[in-house]
Amino acid sequence: GNSVTQMEGPVTLSEEAFLTINCTYTATGYPSLFWYVQYPGEGLQLLLKATKADDKGSNKGFEATYRKETTSFHLEKGSVQVSDSAVYFCALDEPTSYDKVIFGPGTSLSVIP
Amino acid sequence: DVKVTQSSRYLVKRTGEKVFLECVQDMDHENMFWYRQDPGLGLRLIYFSYDVKMKEKGDIPEGYSVSREKKERFSLILESASTNQTSMYLCASSLPGTGKRTGELFFGEGSRLTVL
């Protein structure tokens, strides 16, 4: 079945460091890919999405490119801030009639001043 | 602003009790979902509903049931709570109806359930 794999956390970075969180997926068909973020004490919220191969999603300085050849959707940010400390989930949507989304295990990021 | 509200942030129940988790959305969304979130496992789909009175099993429905009597409300029911149901429960909703997908889910803040 469809699945999402993410790099193990937790990840700890200093402020202004470069961030990469790796994500790979297994899917039949052509899913859309997503990054969701969960800030402490809150529910998840959509960070960015890409709906087809070579699309780049971007938001709040974060970027991810849909790479069909490597089945990857790695999240990057050039300069992280303390406020980026959160759990990041890579996800894909199943090719069904409904919005069934499959999530990866999440990667916890801590940014220290 | 979109809003998904879960009735209880924290609950403590005893083994064998019946537990109700309530979720309300004010966005007129068609789809609603219940996930559980556990460390190292991410989010796993328990049940979802694409219309009033309609429901579909997700990946881990055993031990749970749901109810959707009104479009804005989706309830998760643990008929007889067990310790392995201790978890964070997340409700979500999305706009599209049948045959449409966006993958854009709106989540509540979660209900942390502890079963003793």
Side-chain angles (χ1 to χ4, degrees), chain A residues 19-31:
Chain A
L19 168 72
T20 300
I21 300 178
N22 291 336
C23 169
T24 57
Y25 67 92
T26 302
T28 54
Y30 303 96

Side-chain angles (χ1 to χ4, degrees), chain B residues 59-104:
Chain B
D59 300 314
I60 53 165
E62 297 77 19
Y64 303 94
S65 62
V66 290
S67 172
R68 193 167 181 202
E69 296 295 320
K70 294 184 177 181
K71 188 175 185 180
E72 67 271 17
R73 188 180 297 270
F74 192 36
S75 302
L76 180 69
I77 303 155
L78 288 66
E79 293 288 344
S80 178
S82 62
T83 55
N84 62 12
Q85 293 179 308
T86 291
S87 186
M88 171 70 83
Y89 290 89
L90 293 172
C91 176
S93 70
S94 71
L95 177 60
T98 305
K100 300 177 184 176
R101 296 153 49 204
T102 67
E104 296 185 37

